[in-house]
Amino acid sequence: MTAFAPFKLPCAVFLTASLALPAAAETLRIGTEGAYAPFNFVTEDGSLKGFDVDIGNALCMQMQVECEWSTHEWGGIIPALNAKKFDVMVASMAITEKRQEKVRFSSPYYFNAMRFAALKELELDTATPASLEGMVIGTQSGSVAVTVLQEYFPENEIKLYPKLGEALLDMESGRLDLVLESKFSIGDWMADGTDCCAFVGEDFLMDGTIGAGIAMRLEDEKLQTRIDDALAAIIANGTYDDIRAKYFGFDIRSQPRMVSDLFEG
Amino acid sequence: MLDLWFDYKDLWLSGLKVTASLTLLAILLGFVLALPIGVARARNRGLSGVLAYGYVIFFRGMPLLVLLFLVYYGAGEFSRDLRSLGLWWFFRDAYYCGLLALVLNTAAYQAEIIRGSLNGIPSSIREANAALNLTRWTAFRRVLFPIAIARALPGLGNEFILLLKATSLLAIITIFDLMGQARFIFSETFDLRAYYVAALHYLVLVLVLEWLLRRIERRNAWAA
């Protein structure tokens, strides 16, 4: 015991210091993935950037609270929220029925349509179950794209990656023929100077998804009202559009086509 | 927890098969590679000694996860060159890449275990070999090698069990082993029990492996 005594003092000082902070202003602990450019990503100097981050910060400003950000693996981000590692998730998560059993969502803050990207050498001009016969398709595990692939492309070999960047890397090297994911994220990667790959087919939304939402724990009903009010306020006062224009030169709040409409219609 | 197993029975069984086959192949191929390296380490002379030492230092010094990323995504960077060398079919496949990383890693550890047991053979046995006028090859094959392996078995068994559990790292390069299936089932259900089910599978595999090793050890007890 005595050996550890010298550590007690600085520890106690640190504790009181961190406890004193929230008294000044309420802190909102926001979690995100940090590997989903241009929505949320970690820059070379280690800071968190992206559309989600700007939106989160604007919401904090509107609600007059302090934002405290942390990043989490996509595969474990819902359990992390429910284990109170953070209180609000701004991570471009599509609102689905299955996820709504585990967490509470705000109203959607944009529509994140997905689209196929393929190796250029395949010279594809459509992306339908017939035209993609025998091809290997990759995406991020736990993404809504997995459900679409299972439902409409059950014959194809599907490979799942912990991070989207790894799937894109494997398409560039030729291990994958196509990647299905957010057209924004894939587009952002293409703009970075890779010319291996191109979009094919139309963009679409999974049935039953109603856009990307901000997630909270099921019991935080009051928090949802506050977030929804703040979201409506930054949309009304133009802050949302200023942020959107920084990343996208077009509207991202109108609803794209549904996948069933595309492949069954 | 049973419901979670029955709902995804096919996935669990196929994961079990992938994990078992990866472990078995990595143990066997790793042993084949480790044997000459271990012998060279025990002799510790000339170029072979230096090369074996270099191998062990390099691969024991590198975390398996780093090695895995280097083999898998590293090979991806050189896909053009590998294609022209006719090696891309191997490196394109995540299973082969993962197996290669496992074999390179475990061979370094197995070689050190073999070296230790060869060096631990009492000099009186070597003197007896000389007295019987056995050639070096016969002495190695009929006397030193059986004794060394029998003595190495507990250490090797330990390494095999560690290797079995290390295969779970391969899930991150898209391999659907037990861990890969658990991750997938978890992402479908958000049910943390998926990882308990995976843990139980690993426990069963470890028990089977332990039982096998005990049988082999008992058979070879006389040699040690």
Side-chain angles (χ1 to χ4, degrees):
Chain A
M1 282 307 282
T2 46
F4 288 102
F7 292 103
K8 272 185 185 160
L9 193 65
C11 216
V13 169
F14 173 73
L15 265 177
T16 41
S18 63
L19 281 173
L21 263 176
E26 189 196 345
T27 346
L28 190 63
R29 296 182 304 154
I30 308 186
T32 192
E33 187 199 0
Y36 199 65
F39 296 101
N40 56 74
F41 56 97
V42 179
T43 57
E44 277 163 19
D45 63 9
S47 60
L48 198 57
K49 291 252 162 68
F51 177 76
D52 287 340
V53 181
D54 288 356
I55 291 290
N57 286 332
L59 290 176
C60 287
M61 192 111 81
Q62 184 68 36
M63 293 158 65
Q64 295 185 327
V65 296
E66 294 265 338
C67 270
E68 187 188 296
W69 289 86
S70 56
T71 57
H72 305 265
E73 280 282 309
W74 183 247
I77 202 164
I78 284 181
L81 171 61
N82 283 328
K84 304 194 175 173
K85 304 283 182 203
F86 57 92
D87 300 313
V88 172
M89 184 208 304
V90 191
S92 294
M93 183 172 271
I95 304 169
T96 66
E97 273 179 22
K98 222 162 54 182
R99 285 170 178 160
Q100 276 172 321
E101 290 169 12
K102 299 284 173 187
V103 294
R104 169 185 292 277
F105 283 101
S106 70
S107 46
Y109 64 110
Y110 76 97
F111 285 98
N112 194 356
M114 58 187 115
R115 197 173 177 193
F116 279 106
L119 284 171
K120 277 183 183 165
E121 64 199 50
L122 297 171
E123 293 177 351
L124 290 168
D125 35 51
T126 56
T128 62
S131 72
L132 301 189
E133 203 191 323
M135 296 195 176
V136 186
I137 310 172
T139 191
Q140 184 175 23
S141 71
S143 150
V144 284
V146 181
T147 318
V148 170
L149 291 173
Q150 282 178 317
E151 197 160 326
Y152 295 97
F153 297 85
E155 302 298 319
N156 289 80
E157 186 188 338
I158 310 296
K159 298 183 88 179
L160 302 180
Y161 297 79
K163 292 189 169 64
L164 175 61
E166 290 161 354
L168 295 170
L169 210 59
D170 254 11
M171 175 162 68
E172 195 174 4
S173 75
R175 285 197 182 109
L176 295 176
D177 298 313
L178 299 105
V179 168
L180 177 65
E181 243 297 332
S182 157
K183 64 171 181 184
F184 302 122
S185 296
I186 296 178
D188 184 75
W189 171 71
M190 284 173 173
D192 253 11
T194 21
D195 66 334
C196 66
C197 312
F199 281 117
V200 279
E202 278 183 61
D203 55 343
F204 54 83
L205 213 58
M206 191 181 88
D207 290 68
T209 52
I210 28 179
I214 295 162
M216 285 140 284
R217 286 183 289 276
L218 286 172
E219 69 266 23
D220 288 342
E221 202 178 333
K222 278 195 192 120
L223 186 58
Q224 189 205 334
T225 322
R226 285 174 70 198
I227 298 269
D228 273 338
D229 290 348
L231 187 60
I234 62 165
I235 290 171
N237 69 18
T239 313
Y240 179 97
D241 261 333
D242 292 343
I243 295 170
R244 193 263 306 150
K246 254 174 75 182
Y247 297 92
F248 311 103
F250 45 84
D251 173 36
I252 58 171
R253 287 184 57 235
S254 59
Q255 186 158 342
R257 285 178 76 175
M258 287 292 164
V259 61
S260 56
D261 187 32
L262 201 63
F263 294 127
E264 287 166 9
Chain B
M1 223 140 48
L2 269 179
D3 54 316
L4 201 60
W5 193 84
F6 278 105
D7 286 351
Y8 295 95
K9 183 163 158 264
D10 294 344
L11 297 186
W12 288 120
L13 288 178
S14 95
L16 199 62
K17 225 160 59 187
V18 172
T19 294
S21 80
L22 272 170
T23 308
L24 222 62
L25 281 172
I27 286 176
L28 291 175
L29 295 173
F31 183 73
V32 170
L33 182 59
L35 207 53
I37 297 171
V39 171
R41 284 283 288 135
R43 270 184 80 236
N44 200 18
R45 272 197 297 263
L47 183 64
S48 68
V50 173
L51 287 179
Y53 188 48
Y55 180 92
V56 169
I57 289 213
F58 187 77
F59 286 107
R60 280 208 310 187
M62 188 185 307
L64 180 56
L65 186 61
V66 175
L67 180 61
L68 194 61
F69 269 67
L70 278 180
V71 171
Y72 188 73
Y73 290 110
E77 290 283 295
F78 298 105
S79 65
R80 220 168 293 245
D81 307 293
L82 288 166
R83 246 178 269 242
S84 62
L85 287 168
L87 290 173
W88 183 238
W89 63 271
F90 183 90
F91 287 99
R92 185 175 200 228
D93 195 314
Y95 185 94
Y96 292 143
C97 287
L99 182 59
L100 178 64
L102 286 176
V103 167
L104 291 174
N105 177 271
T106 188
Y109 288 96
Q110 291 190 36
E112 281 301 280
I113 295 167
I114 292 169
R115 173 187 74 105
S117 63
L118 272 173
N119 283 346
I121 293 176
S123 57
S124 57
I125 292 183
R126 289 171 202 276
E127 286 157 12
N129 288 339
L132 289 168
N133 212 13
L134 297 180
T135 63
R136 266 175 56 188
W137 172 239
T138 315
F140 177 77
R141 190 167 57 92
R142 305 297 297 264
V143 184
L144 299 179
F145 179 70
I147 295 175
I149 291 304
R151 288 178 160 225
L153 274 174
L156 285 175
N158 210 15
E159 165 60 17
F160 295 162
I161 288 168
L162 288 173
L163 179 66
L164 164 64
K165 290 180 292 186
T167 57
S168 61
L169 285 175
L170 271 56
I172 57 167
I173 57 163
T174 75
I175 294 177
F176 280 108
D177 65 340
L178 274 174
M179 187 62 185
Q181 299 289 10
R183 288 171 66 122
F184 175 72
I185 292 164
F186 174 72
S187 75
E188 290 279 291
T189 58
F190 301 119
D191 190 341
L192 269 172
R193 290 179 309 162
Y195 292 113
Y196 290 102
V197 178
L200 281 177
H201 281 92
Y202 281 108
L203 181 64
V204 169
L205 282 178
V206 168
L207 289 175
V208 169
L209 192 56
E210 261 180 5
W211 176 79
L212 275 172
L213 288 163
R214 219 172 319 136
R215 284 193 55 150
I216 300 174
E217 268 180 48
R218 210 173 296 148
R219 268 177 59 129
N220 287 282
W222 57 271

Coordinates of all heavy atoms in Angstrom, one line a residue, chain A residues 147-200:
Chain A
T147 N -27.3 -5.7 -45.6 CA -28.7 -6.2 -45.7 C -29.1 -6.2 -47.2 O -29.7 -7.1 -47.7 CB -29.6 -5.3 -44.9 OG1 -29.0 -5.1 -43.6 CG2 -30.9 -6.0 -44.7
V148 N -28.8 -5.1 -47.9 CA -29.1 -5.0 -49.3 C -28.5 -6.1 -50.1 O -29.1 -6.8 -50.9 CB -28.7 -3.6 -49.9 CG1 -28.9 -3.6 -51.4 CG2 -29.5 -2.5 -49.2
L149 N -27.2 -6.3 -49.8 CA -26.5 -7.4 -50.6 C -27.0 -8.8 -50.3 O -27.2 -9.6 -51.2 CB -25.0 -7.3 -50.2 CG -24.2 -6.1 -50.7 CD1 -22.8 -6.1 -50.2 CD2 -24.2 -6.1 -52.2
Q150 N -27.4 -9.0 -49.0 CA -27.9 -10.3 -48.7 C -29.3 -10.5 -49.4 O -29.6 -11.6 -49.8 CB -28.2 -10.4 -47.1 CG -26.9 -10.7 -46.4 CD -27.2 -10.7 -44.9 OE1 -28.0 -9.8 -44.4 NE2 -26.6 -11.6 -44.2
E151 N -30.0 -9.5 -49.5 CA -31.4 -9.6 -50.0 C -31.4 -9.7 -51.5 O -32.1 -10.5 -52.1 CB -32.2 -8.4 -49.5 CG -33.7 -8.7 -49.7 CD -34.5 -7.8 -48.8 OE1 -34.0 -7.4 -47.7 OE2 -35.6 -7.3 -49.2
Y152 N -30.6 -8.8 -52.2 CA -30.7 -8.7 -53.6 C -29.6 -9.4 -54.4 O -29.6 -9.6 -55.6 CB -30.8 -7.2 -54.1 CG -32.1 -6.6 -53.6 CD1 -32.2 -5.9 -52.4 CD2 -33.3 -6.8 -54.3 CE1 -33.3 -5.3 -51.9 CE2 -34.5 -6.3 -53.8 CZ -34.5 -5.6 -52.6 OH -35.7 -5.0 -52.2
F153 N -28.5 -9.6 -53.7 CA -27.3 -10.3 -54.4 C -26.9 -11.5 -53.6 O -25.7 -11.7 -53.3 CB -26.2 -9.3 -54.5 CG -26.5 -8.1 -55.3 CD1 -27.2 -7.0 -54.8 CD2 -26.2 -8.1 -56.7 CE1 -27.5 -5.9 -55.6 CE2 -26.5 -7.0 -57.5 CZ -27.2 -5.9 -56.9
P154 N -27.8 -12.4 -53.3 CA -27.5 -13.6 -52.5 C -26.5 -14.6 -53.1 O -25.8 -15.3 -52.5 CB -28.8 -14.3 -52.2 CG -29.7 -13.8 -53.4 CD -29.2 -12.5 -53.8
E155 N -26.4 -14.5 -54.5 CA -25.5 -15.4 -55.2 C -24.0 -14.9 -55.2 O -23.1 -15.7 -55.4 CB -25.9 -15.6 -56.6 CG -27.4 -16.1 -56.8 CD -27.6 -17.5 -56.2 OE1 -26.7 -18.3 -56.4 OE2 -28.6 -17.7 -55.6
N156 N -23.8 -13.7 -54.9 CA -22.5 -13.1 -55.0 C -21.7 -13.4 -53.7 O -22.2 -13.5 -52.6 CB -22.5 -11.6 -55.2 CG -23.0 -11.2 -56.6 OD1 -24.2 -11.2 -56.8 ND2 -22.0 -11.0 -57.4
E157 N -20.3 -13.5 -53.9 CA -19.5 -13.6 -52.7 C -19.4 -12.2 -52.0 O -19.1 -11.2 -52.7 CB -18.1 -14.1 -53.0 CG -17.3 -14.4 -51.8 CD -15.8 -14.7 -52.1 OE1 -15.5 -15.2 -53.2 OE2 -15.0 -14.5 -51.2
I158 N -19.7 -12.2 -50.7 CA -19.7 -10.9 -50.0 C -18.5 -10.9 -49.0 O -18.4 -11.8 -48.3 CB -21.0 -10.7 -49.2 CG1 -22.2 -10.9 -50.1 CG2 -21.1 -9.3 -48.6 CD1 -22.4 -9.9 -51.3
K159 N -17.7 -9.8 -49.1 CA -16.6 -9.7 -48.1 C -16.9 -8.5 -47.2 O -17.2 -7.4 -47.7 CB -15.3 -9.6 -48.8 CG -15.0 -10.9 -49.6 CD -13.6 -10.8 -50.2 CE -12.6 -11.4 -49.3 NZ -11.3 -11.4 -49.8
L160 N -16.7 -8.7 -45.9 CA -17.0 -7.6 -44.9 C -15.7 -7.2 -44.2 O -14.9 -8.0 -43.8 CB -18.0 -8.1 -43.9 CG -19.3 -8.6 -44.5 CD1 -20.3 -9.1 -43.4 CD2 -20.0 -7.5 -45.3
Y161 N -15.6 -5.8 -44.1 CA -14.4 -5.2 -43.5 C -14.8 -4.4 -42.3 O -15.8 -3.8 -42.3 CB -13.7 -4.3 -44.6 CG -13.3 -5.1 -45.8 CD1 -14.1 -5.5 -46.8 CD2 -11.9 -5.4 -45.9 CE1 -13.7 -6.2 -47.9 CE2 -11.5 -6.2 -47.0 CZ -12.4 -6.5 -48.0 OH -11.9 -7.3 -49.1
P162 N -13.9 -4.4 -41.3 CA -14.2 -3.5 -40.1 C -14.3 -2.1 -40.5 O -15.1 -1.3 -39.9 CB -13.0 -3.8 -39.2 CG -12.4 -5.0 -39.7 CD -12.7 -5.2 -41.1
K163 N -13.5 -1.6 -41.5 CA -13.5 -0.2 -41.9 C -13.8 -0.1 -43.4 O -13.3 -0.9 -44.1 CB -12.2 0.5 -41.5 CG -12.0 0.7 -40.0 CD -10.8 1.6 -39.8 CE -10.7 2.0 -38.3 NZ -10.5 0.8 -37.5
L164 N -14.5 1.0 -43.8 CA -14.8 1.1 -45.2 C -13.5 1.3 -46.0 O -13.3 0.7 -47.1 CB -15.7 2.3 -45.4 CG -15.9 2.7 -46.9 CD1 -16.7 1.6 -47.6 CD2 -16.8 4.0 -47.0
G165 N -12.5 2.0 -45.4 CA -11.2 2.2 -46.1 C -10.6 1.0 -46.6 O -9.9 0.9 -47.6
E166 N -10.7 -0.1 -45.7 CA -10.0 -1.3 -46.0 C -10.7 -2.0 -47.2 O -10.0 -2.7 -48.0 CB -10.1 -2.2 -44.8 CG -9.1 -1.7 -43.7 CD -9.4 -2.3 -42.3 OE1 -10.4 -3.0 -42.1 OE2 -8.7 -2.0 -41.4
A167 N -12.0 -1.9 -47.3 CA -12.7 -2.5 -48.5 C -12.3 -1.8 -49.8 O -12.0 -2.4 -50.8 CB -14.3 -2.4 -48.3
L168 N -12.2 -0.4 -49.7 CA -11.8 0.3 -50.9 C -10.4 0.0 -51.3 O -10.1 -0.1 -52.5 CB -11.9 1.8 -50.6 CG -13.4 2.3 -50.3 CD1 -13.4 3.7 -49.8 CD2 -14.2 2.2 -51.6
L169 N -9.5 -0.2 -50.3 CA -8.1 -0.6 -50.6 C -8.1 -1.9 -51.3 O -7.3 -2.2 -52.2 CB -7.4 -0.7 -49.2 CG -5.9 -0.5 -49.2 CD1 -5.6 0.9 -49.6 CD2 -5.4 -0.7 -47.8
D170 N -9.0 -2.9 -50.9 CA -9.0 -4.2 -51.5 C -9.6 -4.2 -52.9 O -9.4 -5.1 -53.7 CB -9.8 -5.2 -50.6 CG -8.8 -6.1 -49.9 OD1 -7.6 -5.9 -50.0 OD2 -9.2 -7.1 -49.3
M171 N -10.5 -3.2 -53.2 CA -11.0 -3.0 -54.5 C -9.9 -2.5 -55.4 O -9.7 -3.0 -56.6 CB -12.2 -2.1 -54.6 CG -12.7 -1.8 -56.0 SD -14.4 -1.2 -56.0 CE -14.2 0.4 -55.3
E172 N -9.1 -1.6 -54.9 CA -8.0 -1.0 -55.7 C -7.0 -2.1 -56.1 O -6.5 -2.0 -57.2 CB -7.4 0.1 -54.9 CG -6.5 1.0 -55.7 CD -6.0 2.2 -54.9 OE1 -6.2 2.3 -53.7 OE2 -5.3 3.1 -55.5
S173 N -6.7 -3.0 -55.1 CA -5.8 -4.0 -55.4 C -6.3 -5.2 -56.3 O -5.6 -6.0 -56.8 CB -5.2 -4.6 -54.1 OG -6.1 -5.4 -53.5
G174 N -7.6 -5.2 -56.4 CA -8.3 -6.2 -57.3 C -8.8 -7.4 -56.6 O -9.2 -8.3 -57.2
R175 N -8.8 -7.4 -55.2 CA -9.4 -8.5 -54.5 C -10.9 -8.4 -54.6 O -11.6 -9.4 -54.5 CB -8.9 -8.5 -53.1 CG -7.5 -8.9 -52.8 CD -7.3 -9.3 -51.4 NE -5.9 -9.6 -51.2 CZ -5.0 -8.9 -50.5 NH1 -5.4 -7.7 -50.0 NH2 -3.8 -9.3 -50.3
L176 N -11.4 -7.2 -54.7 CA -12.9 -7.0 -54.8 C -13.2 -6.5 -56.2 O -12.4 -5.7 -56.8 CB -13.4 -6.0 -53.8 CG -13.3 -6.4 -52.3 CD1 -13.7 -5.2 -51.5 CD2 -14.1 -7.6 -52.0
D177 N -14.3 -6.9 -56.8 CA -14.8 -6.3 -58.0 C -15.6 -5.0 -57.8 O -15.4 -4.0 -58.5 CB -15.6 -7.3 -58.8 CG -14.9 -8.5 -59.2 OD1 -13.7 -8.4 -59.7 OD2 -15.4 -9.6 -58.9
L178 N -16.4 -5.0 -56.7 CA -17.2 -3.8 -56.4 C -17.3 -3.6 -54.9 O -17.0 -4.5 -54.1 CB -18.6 -4.0 -56.9 CG -18.9 -4.3 -58.4 CD1 -19.2 -5.7 -58.6 CD2 -20.0 -3.4 -58.9
V179 N -17.6 -2.4 -54.6 CA -17.9 -2.0 -53.2 C -19.2 -1.3 -53.2 O -19.5 -0.5 -54.1 CB -16.8 -1.1 -52.6 CG1 -17.3 -0.5 -51.3 CG2 -15.5 -1.8 -52.4
L180 N -20.1 -1.7 -52.3 CA -21.4 -1.0 -52.1 C -21.3 -0.2 -50.8 O -21.2 -0.8 -49.7 CB -22.5 -1.9 -52.1 CG -23.9 -1.3 -51.9 CD1 -24.3 -0.4 -53.0 CD2 -25.0 -2.4 -51.7
E181 N -21.5 1.1 -50.9 CA -21.5 1.9 -49.6 C -22.0 3.3 -50.0 O -22.4 3.6 -51.1 CB -20.1 2.0 -49.0 CG -20.0 1.3 -47.6 CD -20.9 2.0 -46.6 OE1 -21.1 3.3 -46.7 OE2 -21.3 1.4 -45.6
S182 N -22.0 4.2 -49.0 CA -22.4 5.5 -49.2 C -21.7 6.2 -50.4 O -20.5 6.2 -50.5 CB -22.0 6.3 -47.9 OG -21.9 7.7 -48.3
K183 N -22.5 6.8 -51.3 CA -22.0 7.4 -52.5 C -21.1 8.6 -52.1 O -20.2 8.9 -52.8 CB -23.1 7.8 -53.4 CG -24.0 8.9 -52.8 CD -24.9 9.4 -53.9 CE -25.8 10.5 -53.3 NZ -26.8 11.0 -54.2
F184 N -21.4 9.2 -50.9 CA -20.6 10.3 -50.5 C -19.2 9.9 -50.1 O -18.2 10.5 -50.4 CB -21.3 11.1 -49.3 CG -22.7 11.5 -49.6 CD1 -23.7 11.1 -48.9 CD2 -22.9 12.4 -50.7 CE1 -25.0 11.6 -49.2 CE2 -24.1 12.9 -51.0 CZ -25.2 12.5 -50.2
S185 N -19.2 8.8 -49.3 CA -17.9 8.3 -48.8 C -17.0 7.8 -49.9 O -15.8 8.1 -50.0 CB -18.1 7.3 -47.7 OG -18.7 7.8 -46.6
I186 N -17.6 7.0 -50.8 CA -16.9 6.5 -51.9 C -16.4 7.6 -52.8 O -15.3 7.7 -53.3 CB -17.7 5.5 -52.7 CG1 -18.0 4.2 -51.8 CG2 -16.9 5.0 -54.0 CD1 -18.9 3.2 -52.5
G187 N -17.3 8.6 -53.1 CA -17.0 9.8 -53.9 C -15.8 10.5 -53.3 O -14.9 11.0 -54.0
D188 N -15.8 10.7 -52.0 CA -14.7 11.4 -51.3 C -13.4 10.7 -51.5 O -12.4 11.3 -51.8 CB -15.0 11.4 -49.8 CG -14.0 12.2 -49.0 OD1 -14.1 13.5 -49.1 OD2 -13.2 11.6 -48.4
W189 N -13.4 9.3 -51.5 CA -12.2 8.5 -51.7 C -11.7 8.7 -53.2 O -10.5 8.8 -53.4 CB -12.5 7.1 -51.4 CG -11.5 6.1 -51.7 CD1 -10.2 6.0 -51.1 CD2 -11.5 5.1 -52.7 NE1 -9.5 4.9 -51.7 CE2 -10.3 4.4 -52.7 CE3 -12.4 4.7 -53.7 CZ2 -10.0 3.3 -53.5 CZ3 -12.2 3.7 -54.5 CH2 -10.9 3.0 -54.5
M190 N -12.7 8.7 -54.1 CA -12.3 8.8 -55.5 C -11.7 10.2 -55.8 O -10.7 10.3 -56.6 CB -13.5 8.6 -56.4 CG -14.0 7.2 -56.6 SD -15.5 7.1 -57.5 CE -15.7 5.3 -57.7
A191 N -12.2 11.2 -55.1 CA -11.7 12.5 -55.3 C -10.3 12.7 -54.8 O -9.6 13.6 -55.2 CB -12.6 13.5 -54.6
D192 N -9.9 11.7 -54.0 CA -8.5 11.8 -53.5 C -7.4 11.3 -54.5 O -6.3 11.3 -54.1 CB -8.4 10.8 -52.2 CG -8.4 11.6 -51.0 OD1 -8.6 12.8 -51.0 OD2 -8.1 11.0 -49.9
G193 N -7.9 11.0 -55.7 CA -6.9 10.7 -56.7 C -6.7 9.3 -57.2 O -5.8 9.0 -57.9
T194 N -7.6 8.4 -56.7 CA -7.5 7.0 -57.2 C -8.4 6.9 -58.5 O -9.5 7.4 -58.5 CB -8.1 6.0 -56.2 OG1 -9.0 6.7 -55.4 CG2 -7.1 5.3 -55.4
D195 N -7.8 6.3 -59.5 CA -8.6 6.2 -60.7 C -8.8 4.8 -61.2 O -9.1 4.5 -62.3 CB -8.0 7.0 -61.9 CG -6.6 6.5 -62.3 OD1 -6.0 5.8 -61.4 OD2 -6.2 6.7 -63.5
C196 N -8.8 3.9 -60.2 CA -9.0 2.5 -60.4 C -10.5 2.2 -60.7 O -10.8 1.3 -61.5 CB -8.6 1.6 -59.2 SG -9.6 1.9 -57.8
C197 N -11.4 3.0 -60.2 CA -12.7 2.6 -60.0 C -13.7 3.7 -60.4 O -13.4 4.9 -60.4 CB -13.0 2.2 -58.5 SG -11.7 1.1 -57.9
A198 N -14.9 3.3 -60.7 CA -16.0 4.3 -61.0 C -17.3 3.8 -60.5 O -17.5 2.7 -60.3 CB -16.0 4.5 -62.6
F199 N -18.2 4.8 -60.3 CA -19.6 4.4 -59.9 C -20.3 3.7 -61.0 O -20.1 4.0 -62.2 CB -20.4 5.7 -59.6 CG -20.0 6.3 -58.2 CD1 -19.5 7.6 -58.1 CD2 -20.3 5.6 -57.1 CE1 -19.2 8.1 -56.9 CE2 -20.0 6.1 -55.8 CZ -19.5 7.4 -55.7
V200 N -21.1 2.7 -60.7 CA -22.0 2.1 -61.7 C -23.4 2.1 -61.1 O -23.6 1.9 -59.9 CB -21.6 0.7 -62.1 CG1 -20.5 0.7 -63.1 CG2 -21.3 -0.1 -60.9

